[in-house]
Amino acid sequence: MSETTPKGLTRLAFGGDYNPEQWPESVWAEDVRLMREAGVTMVSVGIFSWALLEPARGVHDFGWLDRLLDLLHENGVRADLGTPTVAPPAWFYREHPEALPVAADGTRYAFGSRGAICHSNADYRAAAAAVTTELATRYGDHPALALWHVHNEYGVPVSACYCESCAAHFRRWLARTYGTVDAVNEAWGTAFWGQRYADFGQIEPPRLTPTVGNPGQALDYKRFADATMRENFTAERDILHRLAPGIPVTTNFMTALSQCETVDYWAWGREVDLVSNDHYLITDGRRTHVNLAMAADLTRSVAGGAPWLLLEHSTSGVNWQARNPAKAPGQMARNSLAHVARGSEGAMFFQWRQSRRGAEKFHSAMVPHAGTDSRVWREVVELGASVEALAPVRGTRTVADAALLWDWHSWWAQTLPWRPSEDHDARERADAFYEALYDRHVTVDFAHPEADLSAYPLVVVPALYLMTEAAALNVRAYVENGGTLVVSYFSGIVDEHDAVHDGAYPGALRDVLGLTVEEFSPLLKDDRVRLTGPDGAELCGDVWSEFVVERGAETVYRYADGLAAGRPAVTRHRFGAGTAWYVSTRLGVQGLDAVLGLAAGDAGTAPRAELPRDVEVVRRTGEAGTFVFAVNHTASDAEVPLETPGAELLTGERAAGSLAVPAGAVRVVRLDG
């Protein structure tokens, strides 16, 4: 069985991507001196170094990397060593221009960026295996080596290629998946618009067509593209396992729904030894710390609840958004430790030293252009000391209160064209439900729809358009056995092939919700509908409404206006020993809070009403004890109740009865006992 924690790392990971090839070797000694000053324990190296390691086919230059790894080892810094297969060198593309990916419109991308790869290309696969083999053979037993880092951010910027190599590979994938072309015709519904295929050789990728193509084909191509990338990852992983046993293998995910939508991380999480993630704040007017918490919870869930590792985030501003503000004083530490609260075994950055050249020269770094006489550097050193103080939390697990069902295949299906309303957005619904739970101070696990849900008193389904029969049976059993379920509109509509479930909407969820939907009635832009409920309470919905018919459910809120006026809008259904709620319109966070408050009563859970908004309290627990993380994202000091006294790890002070958390600060208490 492979190791799951970085070899030789006895503290939490702290450091970042180190790209010394961008600098004269005379700078390296200064770098490692500063790493010791900052408390760096691990750096990621070699990720974009293929052209240096193999300047011509079969010609290798490892001298610089030998010296670098030796220098890191001498200074007590562990190495997360990359396979540089995200950036094949210019000589490779000169020899194999067909390895460059082709867009759906037939345009072939050019060399000069990163990630320009046709993952079906046999020459790329052979070259990637060869350079990985060379690295594993040379460095598999190097004393600095703690972790293998395969490729970089699969799925970004290109996941799917539409070239002839991919067409042939797609046909092979379909043959393995379906067995016969008749099964493909059935799954895709090719009887519609006369698209029936007589043999696999007639099937092409879903390239540019005059109007909307076959949705089943488009959905399967997304699955195929994801599976093809994963084939390449596992090929490199298996080489590393064989030649460097005992060293765990990872690749950096981008689980945030705001950052990558082309990768099924449930499937990828089963293939890595250690789940790691990159997370960057999206400056779009939202509360960025909520997106951060959501991404961390999702990453932990992909890891099966086990500790994971934040492999990249930023010390301050990034460079790739329309506007890239700096982080406020103290925000770097607050962001970093919020990830640790939700299960990360450290806080790593992109990158160590800020680049002077290239596309990311304005991306912040641990050592900024301003050098060590700067706010960022002083905060880095302070954060390093905090991360060191939190070493006792290693190996503990974050405790969740509720589950949110999420499925990337369902998301992919919802993004296909010709749906009832372009204003419905699965990511937006997931964000809104998560934010409502966050504001109720509920720690959330994400769960696959077919996963065991028995541990959760409350399960939320914000956007599950695609639902398999197995998922439907799983959710049904959860409610029958006493669980509380909250389901949003446009869920349970189609099966895994994007075929509408037989009968009235919402086919997969009709029985458990105790209702049918006769017709969707999406709202026009800027239209609103009023809902009236208990004791005259009113809510407001937009984007969507439905003609709901009760089939055992009771109406809690009704539409007060719109085409569905007088009909049920929010319902509650006793089913077996549990309860299922349905929300048939798009409610904002405040409206969702009202519904979740009612559902929480069924679930037997109560909000932590004594906690201020934007003060998050999260627990990690394990053999080392129970640790309470309190993260204050507000501009005011806060008091967090403590039912058990303990020692605060960052200040060394005792805390009893309540914990004082200054504005913008983080406190971590190890409870007594």
Side-chain angles (χ1 to χ4, degrees), residues 287 289-290 432-442 589-590 593 607-609 611-615:
R287 298 154 70 199
H289 55 277
V290 179
F433 271 88
Y434 183 90
E435 187 171 353
L437 291 165
Y438 179 95
D439 284 345
R440 297 182 69 81
H441 303 285
V442 172
V589 172
Q590 288 185 335
D593 178 72
R608 297 171 181 149
L611 293 176
R613 187 173 190 257
D614 290 330
V615 175

Side-chain angles (χ1 to χ4, degrees), residues 228-251:
T228 302
M229 292 188 292
R230 201 160 56 250
E231 286 175 7
N232 286 351
F233 166 76
T234 57
E236 292 189 42
R237 179 205 63 194
D238 291 349
I239 292 169
L240 298 171
H241 280 171
R242 177 169 53 85
L243 297 177
I247 306 296
V249 180
T250 192
T251 183

Side-chain angles (χ1 to χ4, degrees), residues 253 255-256 275-277 294-304 308-309:
F253 295 168
T255 64
V275 167
S276 64
N277 195 53
M294 183 176 178
D297 283 345
L298 182 50
T299 308
R300 181 187 69 252
S301 302
V302 166
W308 54 280
L309 179 59

Side-chain angles (χ1 to χ4, degrees), residues 79-161:
D80 165 35
L81 180 56
T83 66
T85 52
V86 69
W91 63 257
F92 173 80
Y93 287 121
R94 179 60 62 90
E95 293 180 12
H96 303 287
E98 70 284 356
L100 288 163
V102 174
D105 66 0
T107 303
R108 189 178 293 277
Y109 293 104
F111 173 77
S113 181
R114 68 175 193 182
I117 295 163
C118 167
H119 283 276
S120 295
N121 183 268
D123 294 306
Y124 167 75
R125 290 183 167 205
V131 73
T132 299
T133 299
E134 292 286 344
L135 284 166
T137 301
R138 189 173 188 92
Y139 299 114
D141 60 356
H142 194 285
L145 183 61
L147 183 65
W148 287 110
H149 181 309
V150 172
H151 204 267
N152 184 74
E153 294 179 346
Y154 280 98
V156 178
V158 177
S159 60
C161 171

